[in-house]
Amino acid sequence: FVFTLCGGVVSWKASLQPVVALSTTEAEYIASAEAVKEAKWLSGIVSELGLNQDTIPICCDSSSAIQLSKNSKYHERTKHVDIRLHFIREEIERGAVDVVKISTEDNPADALTKPLPTVKFRNSLSLIGVRCL
């Protein structure tokens, strides 16, 4: 994940997940859960500075992970997903966060997770406020 404030990066993380995901949906859902935890922590810091944000958008490029975060119904294909990750649903219901779709072309976190062609890499850097010389 990458978090920005006023056009500059304030927090980022790119690491191997501590658990084995059984599907790409679960892997993206785990990453979204980590992003929500970081967003809540950053929200506390920012609110102490007097900047309040009603709902924090969490951008995700996986439609299936977004649907899993917003749909609380039991589904046979997602029964293996760890229950502790479902706190995302509670945060969405409270209005603290909103998980939204971001296109792969506009996802700055891709620069942290995979090799990219030069043009795409520079575009990702520009999205987070880093200028190439």
Side-chain angles (χ1 to χ4, degrees), residues 37-57:
K37 288 192 291 188
E38 185 75 4
K40 289 190 57 67
W41 182 75
L42 287 171
S43 177
I45 291 175
V46 170
S47 67
E48 287 182 16
L49 297 173
L51 303 170
N52 292 318
Q53 186 173 7
D54 293 332
T55 301
I56 302 166

Side-chain angles (χ1 to χ4, degrees), residues 82-119:
D82 195 352
I83 293 170
R84 69 183 173 83
L85 299 172
H86 294 311
F87 82 95
I88 295 174
R89 294 174 180 168
E90 295 170 9
E91 295 301 318
I92 290 171
E93 287 175 15
R94 273 190 336 104
V97 299
D98 185 24
V99 182
V100 296
K101 177 77 172 153
I102 187 170
S103 68
T104 302
E105 294 79 30
D106 297 327
N107 190 351
D110 279 354
L112 303 174
T113 60
K114 57 184 133 189
L116 299 172
T118 304
V119 173

Side-chain angles (χ1 to χ4, degrees), residues 114-125:
K114 57 184 133 189
L116 299 172
T118 304
V119 173
K120 170 79 170 114
F121 183 70
R122 288 186 179 196
N123 181 51
S124 293
L125 291 179

